Amino acid sequence: MERITIRNRTTKTEGEIKIRFRLRDSGGVELHHKSGIKANLKELAQFNIDGTIKGRKQIINRKLKAAIDNAMKLMSQAYANLCAQMDKTHISGELFEKEIARLANPETPTFEASKESMITRYD
């Protein structure tokens, strides 16, 4: 079973950073994801590394919590999809990022070789 954690790679004590995530699984699998989620370090300090809220905090940034949960869900789904296609030890960071992008933007058009293109039309 994979474990997804929030990774804080900064030494800053205040300000805003982009959140990074790490996915670890048995067999030495370790994948990283740079999200576009920006968070204030003071707000991020209210969260455990697994994305849960520390203690009994009443005042939290709900949008940040939802964004973190969504990113973790996308990572988990992308990893499950890739594990179904290949051995988990062969999953690279590049494949992982492409799968996350595909799941996050399902409307993104992809090239289909079976359809006629402009090049084949003029040949």
Side-chain angles (χ1 to χ4, degrees):
M1 177 88 190
E2 77 270 4
R3 180 176 180 203
I4 301 171
T5 57
I6 297 172
R7 178 95 195 247
N8 188 357
R9 294 187 55 195
T10 185
T11 57
K12 292 197 279 186
T13 56
E14 59 184 50
E16 196 171 83
I17 63 166
K18 286 185 180 179
I19 300 177
R20 295 170 157 251
F21 295 93
R22 176 172 57 187
L23 182 142
R24 283 183 157 178
D25 199 2
S26 60
V29 176
E30 186 169 319
L31 299 166
H32 299 272
H33 172 60
K34 297 176 189 175
S35 71
I37 303 168
K38 291 186 178 183
N40 188 317
L41 282 169
K42 291 182 180 181
E43 291 176 346
L44 192 58
Q46 295 179 349
F47 294 90
N48 292 317
I49 63 169
D50 63 348
T52 59
I53 300 167
K54 288 182 181 177
R56 299 178 66 175
K57 303 280 183 188
Q58 295 293 328
I59 302 172
I60 61 163
N61 185 337
R62 294 187 192 283
K63 288 182 182 177
L64 178 60
K65 174 68 174 146
I68 288 171
D69 289 344
N70 187 40
M72 288 182 158
K73 181 179 156 190
L74 279 174
M75 288 178 66
S76 182
Q77 182 63 44
Y79 185 67
N81 290 353
L82 290 172
C83 283
Q85 295 173 8
M86 64 183 74
D87 184 39
K88 66 182 175 183
T89 57
H90 294 105
I91 298 172
S92 68
E94 187 178 323
L95 285 173
F96 186 58
E97 288 293 331
K98 284 182 180 178
E99 184 66 15
I100 290 172
R102 188 186 70 77
L103 290 172
N105 304 314
E107 299 293 321
T108 305
T110 57
F111 176 74
E112 293 182 26
S114 62
K115 290 187 177 180
E116 183 181 33
S117 67
M118 291 296 286
I119 294 171
T120 58
R121 181 179 288 176
Y122 290 107
D123 282 344

